[in-house]
Amino acid sequence: MTMTESNPATRNGVDTATLFATLDAVKAAPQAAKFQFRARNEWISGTHNRSTVDGFFGVGEERSHERTWVFDADHPAVLVGHDNGPTPVEFVLHALAACLTAGLANIAAARGVRLTEVRSTVTGDIDLNGILGLDPAVRNGYEQIAVRFTVKGEAPAEKLRQIVEQSRARSAVYDIITNQVPVTIDVETA
Amino acid sequence: MTMTESNPATRNGVDTATLFATLDAVKAAPQAAKFQFRARNEWISGTHNRSTVDGFFGVGEERSHERTWVFDADHPAVLVGHDNGPTPVEFVLHALAACLTAGLANIAAARGVRLTEVRSTVTGDIDLNGILGLDPAVRNGYEQIAVRFTVKGEAPAEKLRQIVEQSRARSAVYDIITNQVPVTIDVETA
């Protein structure tokens, strides 16, 4: 984890000097790594609603993204919506692809591997008999998710595969999807 | 589940006639409810990458959303990124809020309850000592997620709470997050 002179400062668009300095800073002050992320959502009509993402907490203080992002979600007409945005479950697939890909770039940079191309397709199979309440044996969520990566870079295939594997092993979204996260729901009605 | 004359055709922006007809159609042909959703992701630089959401499979055939959506994800500067988009884990919070809210509107409509306002804030606590590989006792993903709803409508508070509870009980994203989904990852390197 020590940066050496042979490492260029930036690889794969990752500032490796800052990456290693961040690791060292968190090692010295583990509390800095406690983050809270947030989304605020507002119902619009039917299955159409909109989330706003801006502030978060991390490294001991309240922070803001450089922009405020707004995302609409909806159901397509075939699911009795108006297709004003992707379905919520499609955002989950995007999150998984994005998390694995970001990790891949960081890990490759840390290992001195220059990547030239990373693409992926994520598919999720879901049987809507679950959420429609028509078959108690069918779960509500995805029955399975498949990620197919194409990874090219200046390293042997085996090394590229190991980088993907390490990204999987350290992916926040992969953990959220493949393991259990406790979720509480509170409701104010006035 | 039978539409009655006392139900107006649309409530909360939900076409209840079509909603009930869809339920009846799936009851008659359960295979129609087998869907596959997808996202395609392309690495840009560092932790910045971009997903495209357009086609999906459902009701027996290949389908397209009315638009193609593109979403960027990145890490903020404090996490060695360039803040070109929300973090992947923030998209997960949006997905959860969106799924619960869409369900709420559908269920309220089915139960004859007119909603006037639905807002929510979703927070996710994460200790990045996990993904940084600095503490093997810390998980990679969220340690906990909290959803706080404000729901107003033409029904007693208890009835509104029951609608939220039914939405939770039938939410695809809630299931994905709170339970385990099998994920496979394949890698092509050439």
Side-chain angles (χ1 to χ4, degrees):
Chain A
M1 289 304 184
T2 309
M3 186 178 56
T4 66
E5 291 302 304
S6 65
N7 282 348
T10 297
R11 189 182 297 111
N12 300 329
V14 176
D15 180 343
T16 54
T18 302
L19 183 63
F20 293 132
T22 300
L23 278 163
D24 286 340
V26 175
K27 268 185 222 170
Q31 280 296 115
K34 298 260 189 191
F35 276 62
Q36 182 181 76
F37 291 106
R38 303 171 194 138
R40 294 193 310 281
N41 185 277
E42 180 182 10
W43 174 57
I44 297 171
S45 178
T47 50
H48 181 203
N49 57 78
R50 181 173 291 156
S51 291
T52 302
V53 173
D54 47 13
F56 63 96
F57 179 90
V59 199
E61 62 188 67
E62 198 56 33
R63 295 172 182 274
S64 291
H65 283 294
E66 290 184 20
R67 281 181 48 202
T68 295
W69 290 288
V70 174
F71 302 105
D72 286 34
D74 200 353
H75 290 186
V78 70
L79 296 173
V80 202
H82 291 93
D83 219 8
N84 288 297
T87 59
V89 290
E90 286 168 307
F91 280 104
V92 171
L93 304 180
H94 160 52
L96 179 60
C99 192
L100 291 168
T101 301
L104 225 155
N106 273 340
I107 293 160
R111 295 185 179 184
V113 172
R114 198 172 82 83
L115 298 172
T116 52
E117 183 183 334
V118 181
R119 294 178 185 275
S120 58
T121 301
V122 187
T123 58
D125 295 321
I126 189 167
D127 181 343
L128 300 181
N129 282 292
I131 64 171
L132 294 174
L134 296 176
D135 185 344
V138 175
R139 71 180 295 173
N140 295 319
Y142 284 125
E143 297 181 300
Q144 56 197 3
I145 293 175
V147 185
R148 290 176 191 85
F149 267 110
T150 299
V151 181
K152 296 180 186 173
E154 295 174 354
E158 188 49 31
K159 189 157 190 175
L160 296 174
R161 288 176 189 281
Q162 286 165 359
I163 291 168
V164 175
E165 167 52 22
Q166 182 61 16
S167 180
R168 185 202 61 74
R170 283 283 161 245
S171 166
V173 178
Y174 181 88
D175 175 29
I176 291 164
I177 293 174
T178 60
N179 294 304
Q180 300 177 307
V181 179
V183 176
T184 60
I185 301 178
D186 290 320
V187 185
E188 287 269 346
T189 56
Chain B
M1 290 302 183
T2 309
M3 185 180 55
T4 67
E5 290 301 304
S6 65
N7 283 350
T10 296
R11 189 184 296 112
N12 301 328
V14 175
D15 180 342
T16 53
T18 302
L19 183 62
F20 293 132
T22 300
L23 279 163
D24 286 340
V26 175
K27 267 185 226 173
Q31 280 295 114
K34 298 260 188 192
F35 275 63
Q36 181 181 77
F37 292 107
R38 303 168 194 143
R40 295 193 310 279
N41 186 277
E42 180 183 9
W43 174 59
I44 297 172
S45 178
T47 50
H48 182 202
N49 57 78
R50 182 173 291 154
S51 291
T52 302
V53 173
D54 46 15
F56 62 96
F57 178 91
V59 198
E61 63 186 68
E62 198 57 34
R63 295 171 183 275
S64 292
H65 283 294
E66 289 185 19
R67 281 181 48 202
T68 294
W69 290 287
V70 174
F71 302 105
D72 284 34
D74 199 353
H75 290 186
V78 71
L79 295 174
V80 203
H82 291 94
D83 220 8
N84 288 297
T87 59
V89 289
E90 287 169 305
F91 281 105
V92 172
L93 303 182
H94 160 53
L96 179 59
C99 192
L100 291 169
T101 300
L104 225 156
N106 273 340
I107 293 160
R111 293 183 181 185
V113 172
R114 198 172 81 83
L115 298 172
T116 52
E117 184 183 332
V118 180
R119 293 179 186 276
S120 59
T121 302
V122 186
T123 58
D125 295 320
I126 189 165
D127 181 343
L128 300 182
N129 281 292
I131 64 171
L132 294 173
L134 296 176
D135 185 345
V138 175
R139 72 181 292 173
N140 294 319
Y142 285 125
E143 296 181 300
Q144 56 196 5
I145 292 174
V147 185
R148 289 176 192 85
F149 266 110
T150 299
V151 180
K152 296 181 185 172
E154 297 173 354
E158 188 49 32
K159 190 157 187 175
L160 295 175
R161 288 175 190 282
Q162 287 166 0
I163 291 168
V164 175
E165 167 51 24
Q166 182 61 16
S167 179
R168 184 202 63 74
R170 283 284 162 244
S171 165
V173 178
Y174 181 89
D175 175 30
I176 291 165
I177 293 175
T178 60
N179 295 304
Q180 299 176 307
V181 179
V183 176
T184 60
I185 300 178
D186 290 319
V187 185
E188 286 270 346
T189 57

